[in-house]
Amino acid sequence: MEWLNAIVQGTLLGGLYALFAAGLSLIFGVMRLVNIAHGDLIILAAYLGLSVTAVLGIHPLMALLLVVPAMGLIGYALQRGILNQTLGDDLLPPLLVTFGLSVILQNGLLEIYTADPQKMDAGVLETASFDVAGLTVGMLPVLTFAMAVAVIWGLQWTFYRTSLGRAFRAVSDNQDIAQLMGLNRRHIFGLAMALALAVTAIAGILLGIRTSFDPSVGGGRLIFGFEAVIIGGLGNLWGTLAGGVILGVAQTIGAKIDPGWQVLSGHIVFLLILAVRPRGLFPRISG
């Protein structure tokens, strides 16, 4: 029963990792951009949620109504103002720019919020739980996993059922032909980044409710997001959820064996999958 509990808790933890990874997968799938600042943007969203709840006195989940559109606007402005200028055949310029953005975000947050760990207060939601087949399951992890499924379903539906999704796929397949057909690729890229950072906002708020955070922890969230994307397969949103679950289960089983192995076991499973399936378990596009 204890091992089954570890698997269930790891599966639910995978929902949070899938939210970390969904924005990365979306950005890479549309514009082949590897965003080194993604983890720091998650922490930025958490701090924005903290500020909104402190100023307005509302529940952290209600802060999503303000933080999600705010991060979407930040994403659009970031893409149109900076990142679009770096896109091209050479992958190095966007990597360097997003690395610089990561450093700026960390130092900016450090100046504004200090290095003291912070956490959002979600009241009884943090400790509420229910029993299923002899297992005690927390309400917050279940809510996080449900939101991850809803977000990925929404992204998948947007990609394959809307005109915006067709525009995403068109510029992803061939930017020049899409431009000739009347699509403004810079605007489309801006919308893709806005959508990715809106998802990042959800991940940041849920992270801030679940655990404490400070300006330096973005790098760890970026690694977990990358691992979930690579395990699941580049460009496959449902694969991203599967990758997050595999990573989460690996960590909880590792922690069950020895608490010091929690993070290490996730990295080992990632490397094993990468060695056997370099393009991930369910790839949709080539790297």
Side-chain angles (χ1 to χ4, degrees), residues 1-25:
M1 185 62 75
E2 292 182 358
W3 290 103
L4 177 61
N5 182 59
I7 293 173
V8 170
Q9 301 303 331
T11 300
L12 297 177
L13 177 61
L16 183 61
Y17 292 162
L19 285 172
F20 292 165
L24 276 174
S25 183

Side-chain angles (χ1 to χ4, degrees), residues 38-267:
H38 190 77
D40 300 291
L41 289 165
I42 292 173
I43 303 305
L44 172 64
Y47 274 112
L48 288 178
L50 182 70
S51 295
V52 168
T53 54
V55 172
L56 301 181
I58 60 177
H59 192 277
L61 292 181
M62 292 295 293
L64 285 170
L65 298 175
L66 295 176
V67 178
V68 168
M71 289 299 293
L73 289 174
I74 291 172
Y76 187 84
L78 178 65
Q79 187 66 41
R80 292 301 302 265
I82 299 175
L83 296 179
N84 273 342
Q85 325 305 324
T86 68
L87 295 179
D89 295 332
D90 191 352
L91 295 177
L92 188 58
L95 278 176
L96 293 176
V97 168
T98 55
F99 176 74
L101 178 63
S102 169
V103 175
I104 291 171
L105 281 173
Q106 287 186 33
N107 284 276
L109 291 174
L110 191 62
E111 287 294 326
I112 297 172
Y113 294 99
T114 76
D116 295 336
Q118 306 284 347
K119 186 177 179 305
M120 282 182 272
D121 183 8
V124 295
L125 178 62
E126 295 181 29
T127 55
S129 62
F130 59 92
D131 294 332
V132 177
L135 299 176
T136 300
V137 181
M139 285 294 296
L140 181 58
V142 171
L143 175 64
T144 302
F145 190 85
M147 292 181 75
V149 172
V151 165
I152 290 176
W153 178 86
L155 291 176
Q156 191 82 2
W157 181 83
T158 301
F159 254 71
Y160 294 101
R161 294 289 187 273
T162 68
S163 58
L164 177 61
R166 286 191 289 275
F168 284 160
R169 285 183 282 134
V171 295
S172 173
D173 289 341
N174 193 309
Q175 297 180 24
D176 294 331
I177 293 179
Q179 190 88 4
L180 289 174
M181 297 299 292
L183 291 175
N184 183 339
R185 63 183 178 185
R186 293 179 178 274
H187 176 62
I188 299 299
F189 287 164
L191 293 177
M193 184 60 80
L195 191 56
L197 290 204
V199 175
T200 297
I202 299 173
I205 295 288
L206 291 172
L207 172 70
I209 295 174
R210 186 184 180 100
T211 184
S212 60
F213 56 93
D214 63 65
S216 67
V217 300
R221 310 317 105 181
L222 174 67
I223 290 173
F224 292 153
F226 265 135
E227 289 181 341
V229 170
I230 299 300
I231 291 173
L234 292 171
N236 187 336
L237 289 168
W238 287 114
T240 297
L241 178 63
V245 169
I246 291 171
L247 184 62
V249 170
Q251 289 187 356
T252 53
I253 288 180
K256 178 67 182 169
I257 297 171
D258 186 310
W261 290 8
Q262 179 177 2
V263 176
L264 176 62
S265 59
H267 295 330

